[in-house]
Amino acid sequence: MSSSPVTVRVPASTSNCGAGFDTLGLALSLYNRVTLSPAADGLIRPERPSDARAQAMVEETAAAFFAATKLSPAGFSYRIEGEVPPARGLGSSITVIAGVLAGLDGLQGTALSRHRLVELATALEGHPDNASAGILGGFCVARCHPESGTYLDTIRFVLPPELVFVVVSPELEMLTKAARGVLPSTLPYFDAVRSINSAAFLVAALASGDYDKLRHAVFDFMHEPYRLPRIRGGRSAIDAGVVAGALTGWLSGSGSSVLCVARTQCAAGVAEAMRQAFHSVDVESEARILQADNDGLTVE
């Protein structure tokens, strides 16, 4: 076991990407860093005051790592710092989970593959979209076993800096567990068909580099109709971004952030239009203009 601290940088991510529910993920140029230091007393504790939710996530992730590697549990202290806001649909939980997994991998010298890290993170998260993007980077199409739900593989590709992602986060936390609670148990058949059509077209447009084809091409009937109404100003912000020149937009993850895809020259105007849409309904928000992160998790 290493005696030196290990710091892992993990990018934020947007998931679902329109209708790609629990399948499509994209890493973004916004980061958290997780630093792990060995502790001789066998305890897992934060270096700075931490909330109970983060502590529980770190402990659960550590337990999964030691169970998967069949190593005896070891203590460590941890520090989580960075720019990814929690409970805003930007993969903050994966930054912690992936950071702890890769940090323990570094401390223990287990040399886990990226595939194995995504597999473990997916088992903890319950879905692979943020896990694959946060660990592998780029735009990711992840595949799970249709019966067991276990992670199988990801196809990923890089996106160029000419394409930017305008993310606007209102002052509203949206926990994934609560957001899943509003989803229906069944969908109308043709809602599923229309969503599949949109998800497939989005992947084809991004993979081909024909980004103009994204204009007005992304729509969803699987989760946005049930989640967006809970975010005051969310639908209007996406629509305002498109009017201001964005190619398309979607609800990022389960929210509360919304995102528009744009070219660099109109990004500032898109960001301001989206922010003003929230402001018009008395909701304050923060706008970020981001690029795709094509590297994924890195050990510093």
Side-chain angles (χ1 to χ4, degrees), residues 121-137:
T122 297
L124 288 162
E125 277 276 273
H127 41 89
D129 41 6
N130 289 113
S132 59
I135 293 171
L136 303 176

Side-chain angles (χ1 to χ4, degrees), residues 13-254:
S13 50
T14 180
S15 61
N16 299 328
C17 302
F21 190 73
D22 281 1
T23 302
L24 305 181
L26 168 65
L28 299 169
S29 58
L30 190 71
Y31 303 94
N32 274 349
R33 286 172 171 81
V34 179
T35 300
L36 269 57
S37 302
D41 57 12
L43 299 177
I44 298 174
R45 60 178 183 273
E47 292 183 6
R48 302 169 182 172
S50 179
D51 60 49
R53 191 167 67 198
Q55 178 71 19
M57 188 182 303
V58 171
E59 291 178 354
E60 182 184 18
T61 303
F65 172 86
F66 288 115
T69 57
K70 298 181 170 55
L71 295 174
S72 297
F76 59 90
S77 62
Y78 66 89
R79 182 172 72 252
I80 302 167
E81 52 196 348
E83 308 159 313
V84 184
R88 294 296 196 282
L90 291 173
S92 64
S93 62
I94 273 297
T95 67
V96 175
I97 290 170
V100 171
L101 288 173
L104 287 172
D105 179 57
L107 288 179
Q108 297 292 329
T110 42
L112 297 179
S113 67
R114 292 294 179 99
H115 176 93
R116 185 66 169 134
L117 289 175
V118 177
E119 184 179 34
L120 292 174
T122 297
L124 288 162
E125 277 276 273
H127 41 89
D129 41 6
N130 289 113
S132 59
I135 293 171
L136 303 176
F139 183 82
C140 294
V141 185
R143 176 173 173 247
C144 288
H145 192 282
E147 295 176 0
S148 67
T150 55
Y151 173 74
L152 293 176
D153 202 1
T154 295
I155 294 174
R156 62 172 295 278
F157 48 89
V158 303
L159 294 180
E162 71 185 77
L163 210 59
V164 297
F165 303 88
V166 182
V167 179
V168 181
S169 304
E171 292 297 322
L172 170 68
E173 288 195 350
M174 190 70 67
L175 296 176
T176 300
K177 184 176 181 180
R180 283 185 176 265
V182 305
L183 299 178
S185 57
T186 61
L187 283 173
Y189 181 84
F190 286 105
D191 282 356
V193 171
R194 290 186 292 174
S195 294
I196 291 168
N197 177 260
S198 176
F201 195 89
L202 167 68
V203 172
L206 290 176
S208 69
D210 193 354
Y211 303 130
D212 285 338
K213 291 287 179 65
L214 291 171
R215 196 173 300 279
H216 306 298
V218 175
F219 48 86
D220 170 70
F221 300 93
M222 298 186 70
H223 76 114
E224 286 190 356
Y226 311 98
R227 288 171 165 172
L228 259 178
R230 304 175 73 226
I231 302 167
R232 190 154 51 98
R235 179 75 266 168
S236 297
I238 296 172
D239 293 343
V242 172
V243 170
L247 297 169
T248 191
W250 57 72
L251 174 66
S252 185
S254 57

Side-chain angles (χ1 to χ4, degrees), residues 251-300:
L251 174 66
S252 185
S254 57
S256 58
S257 298
V258 293
L259 177 151
C260 276
V261 185
R263 296 188 184 275
T264 52
Q265 59 266 30
C266 66
V270 169
E272 180 60 18
M274 294 174 71
R275 196 187 64 78
Q276 285 298 327
F278 277 116
H279 184 71
S280 69
V281 292
D282 298 321
V283 175
E284 294 307 309
S285 62
E286 182 175 1
R288 299 175 176 89
I289 299 174
L290 306 174
Q291 293 179 331
D293 174 281
N294 292 310
D295 299 319
L297 176 153
T298 57
V299 178
E300 299 182 332

